[in-house]
């Protein structure tokens, strides 16, 4: 399922990804929650933190350059890849959700909040 689009004299190919919830696609896809703040560690386009917000299988992404996009599980490998619509590319994420590596070489690493020691209460 491939379509060819023409835009400003450029020809690009785009795979269509099934988003039909009745097909069972979403039930076998994405088993980890990618919601969090990520820091770009390779091939960065900006210096800001990247934000990922996941709602069910769909994701909202704000890149390190401040560019927003929507994403969802990749049709061909929904258990470990996402498709980012605005960039017309996919990305693979690690099983623990700590790294996201885009097809163009950009790598995001999840930032963990600082560990706060437990508060001791006096009796």
């Amino acid at each position: 399922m491939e379509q060819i689009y023409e835009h400003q004299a450029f020809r690009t190919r785009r795979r269509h990804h099934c988003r039909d919830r009745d097909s069972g696609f979403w039930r076998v896809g994405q088993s980890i929650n990618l919601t969090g703040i990520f820091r770009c560690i390779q091939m960065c386009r900006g210096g800001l933190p990247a934000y990922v917000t996941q709602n069910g299988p769909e994701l909202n992404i704000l890149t390190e350059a401040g560019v927003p996009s929507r994403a969802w599980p990749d049709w061909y490998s929904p258990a470990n890849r996402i498709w980012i619509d605005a960039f017309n590319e996919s990305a693979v994420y690690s099983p623990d959700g700590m790294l996201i590596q885009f097809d163009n070489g950009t790598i995001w690493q999840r930032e963990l909040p600082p560990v706060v020691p437990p508060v001791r209460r006096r009796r």
Side-chain angles (χ1 to χ4, degrees), residues 11-67:
R11 298 185 79 178
T12 60
R13 293 181 183 267
R14 177 179 178 212
R15 291 185 211 131
H16 282 270
H17 300 279
C18 179
R19 299 181 71 195
D20 182 9
R21 294 176 195 267
D22 296 331
S23 69
F25 171 69
W26 299 124
R27 287 187 286 266
V28 297
Q30 213 153 355
S31 60
I32 190 163
N33 189 346
L34 294 174
T35 296
I37 301 170
F38 290 81
R39 177 74 53 195
C40 181
I41 60 172
Q42 184 176 311
M43 304 259 316
C44 306
R45 296 182 208 143
L48 299 172
Y51 296 91
V52 176
T53 306
Q54 185 172 344
N55 185 12
E58 297 185 359
L59 298 107
N60 291 313
I61 295 176
L62 183 64
T63 69
E64 73 277 11
V67 179

Side-chain angles (χ1 to χ4, degrees), residues 63-82:
T63 69
E64 73 277 11
V67 179
S69 182
R70 299 200 51 176
W72 48 83
D74 192 292
W75 170 255
Y76 297 105
S77 188
N80 63 353
R81 294 187 74 84
I82 56 174

